[in-house]
Amino acid sequence: MSFPKGIIPAMLTAFTDDGSVDLDATRSFAEWLIGKGVHGLSPTGSTGEGAAMTDEERLQVIKATIEQAAGRVPVYAGIIHYSTKLAIKLATSAMEAGADGVMVLLPFYYGPTIPSAMDHLRAVSHAIGQPIMVYNNPWFAGFELSPEQVRVLVEEGVVNSIKAAHGDPMRVNYLKYLCGDKITALYGHDYAPLEAFAAGGDGWLSGFPNVVPDLAVELFDAVHNKADLTLARSIWARIAPLGYYFMYERTGPNAAPHWLTVFKEMMRMLGEDIGMPRLPAVEMTPEERAVLRKYVAQVYPEQVSAE
């Protein structure tokens, strides 16, 4: 497995009006993202609604993404399963289809012990014969591996990259401190990629790069290639309205509108209609859509009217 770096959208999956997987639209969306300069694609993860699809559907999406990428950018398939057996089966199928690697969510729902969760990752890595990307997401798995536990897996050759999805950019910092160049640490949330890059993060793998792929690439380039934090801050200032919307306009313990719906609505406003999420996520109300439009228009005023 190559070391994942740069801007890698946690790629949205396109659905038709009746909720069926739309492979043609998914291919078109992958092409749109590649055209914006992203460094990789990661289908069937959380933002890709992997948990809402059958394994057959997930594999169809993975294959369509690989075919569209055609070697121009690497593809890291999302593997979301509690069952080690099912995770191995999907990961093996993804690799046989031509994926460059797999991003494996920690086994979720039942709250396995940390040693058994680490064994889950070992089993997937051994099955595909190469290191994996661990998807360290405490919000979805209910727990996360510590930097020291990740280091153990890196030293074993089980893991060579991580999506650090907690949100705190310091997790990226400590992973780089312990593992150095033996791991690529990708920031995996949506509100602090600039801070993660400044702390040594190797990329950004999350939902926002679907919506702002061009700006995300510019942000990464400003820090990693130009070492220009002043430029980077100016780029983030343009993206920031969307971060503010996510963190402060959506309120409550189950913040509404649902974040999957928000991403799909953003894409629709930008002229890339890839359908709505699968139920139980629902469409936004006209009032909610009007609020979102004002924020999207701040980022892309040339494409979206605030009214």
Side-chain angles (χ1 to χ4, degrees):
M1 179 177 176
S2 60
F3 283 86
K5 292 184 178 181
I7 301 303
I8 306 174
M11 188 177 153
L12 292 156
T13 301
F15 295 110
T16 62
D17 290 342
D18 67 2
S20 301
V21 173
D22 189 335
L23 294 178
D24 287 339
T26 296
R27 290 188 185 94
S28 295
F29 183 51
E31 186 63 34
W32 183 80
L33 289 169
I34 293 170
K36 295 293 184 179
V38 301
H39 305 103
L41 297 170
S42 184
T44 67
S46 302
T47 305
E49 298 181 66
M53 291 189 281
T54 66
D55 274 3
E56 180 181 1
E57 289 173 324
R58 295 186 216 190
L59 195 55
Q60 289 174 345
V61 170
I62 291 166
K63 287 180 176 178
T65 305
I66 293 168
E67 290 168 2
Q68 194 64 40
R72 292 174 291 170
V73 298
V75 175
Y76 305 101
I79 308 297
I80 301 176
H81 270 303
Y82 169 79
S83 162
T84 302
K85 181 178 180 179
L86 293 177
I88 288 173
K89 182 179 180 181
L90 182 58
T92 302
S93 297
M95 295 302 295
E96 290 174 349
D100 295 272
V102 293
M103 177 186 70
V104 184
L105 179 67
L106 296 171
F108 61 99
Y109 187 75
Y110 289 111
T113 64
I114 293 294
S116 64
M118 293 172 71
D119 283 343
H120 175 90
L121 299 175
R122 291 182 178 106
V124 176
S125 173
H126 294 160
I128 66 172
Q130 67 180 51
I132 63 173
M133 183 194 307
V134 58
Y135 184 5
N136 219 23
N137 191 330
W139 312 115
F140 292 166
F143 66 100
E144 64 180 323
L145 300 184
S146 70
E148 178 59 31
Q149 289 158 349
V150 173
R151 185 195 65 79
V152 169
L153 295 175
V154 169
E155 293 296 337
E156 292 178 2
V158 170
V159 167
N160 75 345
S161 52
I162 186 167
K163 174 180 175 177
H166 175 278
D168 177 7
M170 288 304 292
R171 280 166 166 74
V172 170
N173 191 343
Y174 294 141
L175 286 162
K176 295 302 291 186
Y177 163 69
L178 285 179
C179 302
D181 293 337
K182 294 179 181 179
I183 192 174
T184 50
L186 309 175
Y187 183 67
H189 213 299
D190 294 313
Y191 59 82
L194 171 57
E195 293 85 344
F197 291 162
D202 297 295
W204 186 12
L205 199 172
S206 191
F208 263 20
N210 284 285
V211 183
V212 291
D214 50 347
L215 296 176
V217 169
E218 289 179 21
L219 181 67
F220 180 77
D221 182 64
V223 178
H224 275 262
N225 298 323
K226 298 177 181 176
D228 189 338
L229 283 177
T230 299
L231 174 61
R233 284 194 295 267
S234 70
I235 297 167
W236 176 250
R238 184 172 168 187
I239 302 172
L242 298 184
Y244 182 90
Y245 170 85
F246 262 86
M247 298 301 295
Y248 295 104
E249 283 287 359
R250 300 165 59 251
T251 59
N254 287 337
H258 194 276
W259 57 276
L260 284 169
T261 300
V262 170
F263 279 133
K264 291 289 186 77
E265 287 282 6
M266 285 179 175
M267 297 311 308
R268 182 178 287 180
M269 291 176 185
L270 292 170
E272 293 295 318
D273 189 350
I274 52 176
M276 285 291 107
R278 282 185 162 170
L279 295 172
V282 297
E283 292 197 32
M284 299 171 74
T285 66
E287 293 77 16
E288 291 170 337
R289 195 174 292 111
V291 172
L292 175 62
R293 177 173 289 275
K294 292 180 180 178
Y295 283 97
V296 177
Q298 292 180 55
V299 182
Y300 292 112
E302 69 280 6
Q303 293 179 248
V304 181
S305 168
E307 299 299 329

